[in-house]
Amino acid sequence: MSELARMTGLARQSVFEFYHNKNKAIKFDTLNKICWALECKVEDILEYIPDDTP
C-alpha cells in the first residue's frame, strides 16, 4: 500500500480504504492513477456485484 501510494501520489489512507473496500465512492482520477501504476485495466481491480435494489 505504501508503494502504491508513493507511485500514484495518493494518500496512504486512500489506498488503504480502497484496498480494504472501506470507501463508498472512488474518483475516476484515482482509478486512473491506480491503473497506471499497476499497468492494468479498471476491470482487473473492480468487480460489479449487484445489490437487491431495483
Side-chain angles (χ1 to χ4, degrees), residues 1 3 6 8 10 12 16 18-19 23 26-28 30-31 33 38 41-42 44-48 50 52-54:
M1 286 184 275
E3 180 67 12
R6 185 192 65 73
T8 59
L10 298 170
R12 189 176 186 285
F16 176 88
F18 182 77
Y19 181 83
N23 49 355
I26 187 165
K27 295 179 181 179
F28 288 120
T30 300
L31 280 175
K33 288 177 181 180
L38 298 177
K41 298 176 187 172
V42 173
D44 294 332
I45 59 174
L46 293 179
E47 177 184 8
Y48 173 70
D52 294 336
T53 308

